[in-house]
Amino acid sequence: MRITLLNGTPADARYKNFELFVEKLAIYLDKDRHTVTNLKLRNMDIKYCTGCFGCWVKNPGECLIADDSRTVRREAINCDLLVFASPIIMGFTSAILKKTMDKMIPLVHPYIEIVEKECHHRKRYDKYPSVGLILDKPTDNRADDEDIAITRRIFERLSLNLRSTLRLVAFDQTPIEEVINEINHI
Amino acid sequence: MKLTIFNGSPRGKGSNTKILMDHFCKGFDAAAAEVNTAENNLKVNVAYLVHTDKMEEFMELFEESDKIILAFPLYTDCIPGIVKFFIEQLEPLCGRENNPDMGFVVQSGFPEAVHSRAVEKYLEKLTGRLGCKYLGTVIKGGVEGIQVQPPRMTQKLFGSFYRLGFHFGKTGAFDETIVRELVKWERLPGWALVLFRLLALTGIANMYWNTQLKKNDAFDRRSSKPYQGLF
């Protein structure tokens, strides 16, 4: 399976263990039977979405800003499993990851259609990857189960917008073999 | 009461969020004109979070306000990246004494409120984390077209935001009746789903996008797949 890992960990000592977990997971998955592209977002030049909709009405399918989000989109649409990874900061994944999520809209079409009795954007591509989410379970009261439930719900919505399903939610406390096993069953 | 509106739209002063909040501010100012005295001074400030280099200034504004309204467009059924960046700057203020009361305005292009419910939960939890009193979340869908719609189509919406602002000026809270009216549809009713499918068949449903695509000479490329099969 082709796996793209979007690692949204900020450069902060508090999140070092989380990042180690994500790095280790990437290496183990790659050693297993998968092809892993591990993108460390904080080292990439990704500009904020400006809401110009140029990716829908001027240069359909592509962001007008020539930044590294082009690599992210290329790797995201051509994989089987797209994994978002971030520690929980102020109740949600990092701003680094969020701005990258915003830059996914060129992957869908501006037209609206009815999906599950709701308005959603039409697919631009024939196939979209399954979605995975890796979070931390902080021991320092930084996040609780409610934060995790809210974050999970927002990623279920993001997956639906990408016309896909959230198939994996894992934590840095989970034994790595269990996470790999879960991924192997997707 | 000192109110600060943080406009979280990446479009900044060109945003639909600004248009809605301008009407809110007009209502707020009208209330201020009625009640302002020496000891009861109503004032509203607006800050644009798109200026991500001004975070220190924004934090000061946050600290010295009595009320905050964070208004933004829905991005991936959540807050835009710039808003998350701003919220992360507020981390040191968690649990500070006398943090301002905080309310939210979430606007989106989707006609139904259901898209905004997940982030609403996030926003409520955020106020608890900061130790701010939660003033509620105004959810308004179907906003994307307001800059091209004729005044008769936007009159009611703008009037609602004016009244929302007026009430906020008088009471420091959102008027629950107006908040409920603005939601209009939690989910699309059956007849609207049928109607939408018909409009989609005729192309009317996508007229807004087609007009812009044609204007940019991009209509023929509207479904292009620049990353298809690159591996």
Side-chain angles (χ1 to χ4, degrees):
Chain A
M1 187 159 59
R2 190 176 268 281
I3 301 170
T4 296
L5 198 66
L6 302 181
N7 177 359
T9 314
D12 183 324
R14 283 190 289 176
Y15 314 127
K16 217 176 114 191
N17 287 339
F18 178 77
E19 180 139 276
L20 281 173
F21 178 84
V22 174
E23 294 294 323
K24 201 167 142 190
L25 181 66
I27 293 167
Y28 279 35
L29 283 168
D30 207 59
K31 269 193 197 154
D32 205 331
R33 65 189 96 154
H34 308 287
T35 310
V36 179
T37 305
N38 181 11
L39 299 177
K40 198 180 272 193
L41 302 176
R42 71 165 183 270
N43 293 340
M44 299 174 77
D45 174 33
I46 297 171
K47 303 280 191 284
Y48 288 104
C49 169
T50 63
C52 73
F53 285 155
C55 62
W56 284 345
V57 301
K58 283 186 181 159
N59 188 11
E62 187 56 288
C63 179
L64 300 188
I65 304 167
D67 62 10
D68 290 341
S69 72
R70 295 187 167 181
T71 307
V72 174
R73 281 188 298 277
R74 190 186 66 225
E75 298 291 339
I77 199 63
N78 289 296
C79 70
D80 305 298
L81 176 66
L82 177 63
V83 181
F84 295 87
S86 168
I88 297 183
I89 305 165
M90 292 295 277
F92 191 64
T93 56
S94 69
I96 298 168
L97 188 62
K98 186 65 199 36
K99 76 171 169 186
T100 310
M101 289 154 67
D102 295 348
K103 302 275 268 194
M104 295 291 181
I105 68 154
L107 296 178
V108 295
H109 201 285
Y111 289 1
I112 297 288
E113 62 185 8
I114 305 294
V115 183
E116 296 183 14
K117 297 186 177 177
E118 295 174 5
C119 290
H120 286 278
H121 287 283
R122 197 187 278 184
K123 287 181 178 179
R124 179 176 293 282
Y125 292 90
D126 307 331
K127 187 180 149 280
Y128 288 79
S130 294
V131 177
L133 177 63
I134 298 177
L135 302 170
D136 66 343
K137 258 201 175 150
T139 46
D140 59 356
N141 290 331
R142 183 157 45 79
D144 58 23
D145 287 347
E146 195 187 9
D147 293 313
I148 290 166
I150 290 169
T151 303
R152 182 193 184 112
R153 181 74 196 122
I154 291 172
F155 274 85
E156 282 169 357
R157 297 291 310 178
L158 172 91
S159 306
L160 180 58
N161 290 334
L162 281 176
R163 310 302 299 277
S164 180
T165 327
L166 183 64
R167 301 284 297 275
L168 166 85
V169 181
F171 302 93
D172 61 349
Q173 309 275 307
T174 321
I176 220 154
E177 296 73 21
E178 267 180 43
V179 183
I180 292 168
N181 194 33
E182 215 179 315
I183 289 173
N184 286 340
H185 282 88
I186 289 175
Chain B
M1 181 209 337
K2 184 176 172 181
L3 164 68
T4 298
I5 295 171
F6 286 107
N7 179 325
S9 173
R11 293 183 188 165
K13 289 191 175 167
S15 62
N16 292 324
T17 303
K18 178 181 186 289
I19 295 174
L20 296 180
M21 295 319 285
D22 278 353
H23 289 280
F24 180 97
C25 287
K26 274 186 205 159
F28 185 92
D29 287 338
E34 285 183 18
V35 301
N36 267 356
T37 55
E39 61 277 11
N40 188 1
N41 192 21
L42 295 187
K43 219 182 118 198
V44 57
N45 250 312
V46 185
Y48 292 86
L49 297 181
V50 69
H51 303 294
T52 48
D53 55 337
K54 289 189 178 168
M55 285 297 153
E56 277 178 33
E57 198 181 301
F58 296 159
M59 272 177 79
E60 272 173 36
L61 261 175
F62 185 94
E63 287 181 71
E64 68 197 28
S65 300
D66 305 303
K67 312 262 177 190
I68 300 285
I69 295 175
L70 174 56
F72 60 88
L74 192 69
Y75 266 45
T76 75
D77 285 11
C78 191
I79 47 179
I82 55 167
V83 173
K84 184 69 209 317
F85 182 67
F86 169 66
I87 289 171
E88 288 182 10
Q89 312 309 307
L90 300 178
E91 195 173 5
L93 302 181
C94 282
R96 187 185 73 111
E97 295 263 325
N98 303 320
N99 263 342
D101 301 346
M102 209 172 173
F104 304 89
V105 175
V106 184
Q107 61 90 1
S108 75
F110 297 114
E112 326 100 306
V114 60
H115 302 271
S116 306
R117 292 298 179 196
V119 74
E120 180 186 28
K121 291 262 187 311
Y122 170 75
L123 298 169
E124 183 172 2
K125 182 84 200 276
L126 173 70
T127 58
R129 167 171 274 116
L130 282 160
C132 297
K133 186 184 159 199
Y134 179 56
L135 298 174
T137 298
V138 177
I139 293 174
K140 182 61 206 159
V143 172
E144 179 54 23
I146 60 170
Q147 302 202 26
V148 295
Q149 285 164 357
R152 62 180 165 81
M153 284 179 77
T154 51
Q155 198 176 16
K156 194 175 164 223
L157 172 65
F158 294 166
S160 296
F161 269 82
Y162 179 93
R163 288 187 294 125
L164 200 65
F166 186 81
H167 185 89
F168 198 95
K170 288 265 169 139
T171 65
F174 291 132
D175 182 323
E176 283 176 29
T177 312
I178 302 172
V179 172
R180 267 197 306 276
E181 280 169 16
L182 283 168
V183 165
K184 193 173 169 189
W185 281 327
E186 184 61 34
R187 289 176 169 277
L188 290 181
W191 65 264
L193 292 172
V194 173
L195 180 68
F196 183 87
R197 289 201 174 97
L198 283 173
L199 291 177
L201 283 176
T202 58
I204 293 172
N206 299 311
M207 208 169 65
Y208 176 76
W209 298 113
N210 286 342
T211 308
Q212 294 188 57
L213 279 159
K214 283 172 188 162
K215 198 177 77 189
N216 295 313
D217 209 12
F219 184 74
D220 294 342
R221 292 179 284 125
R222 66 191 181 282
S223 299
S224 68
K225 305 173 169 104
Y227 298 115
Q228 180 79 33
L230 283 189
F231 294 114

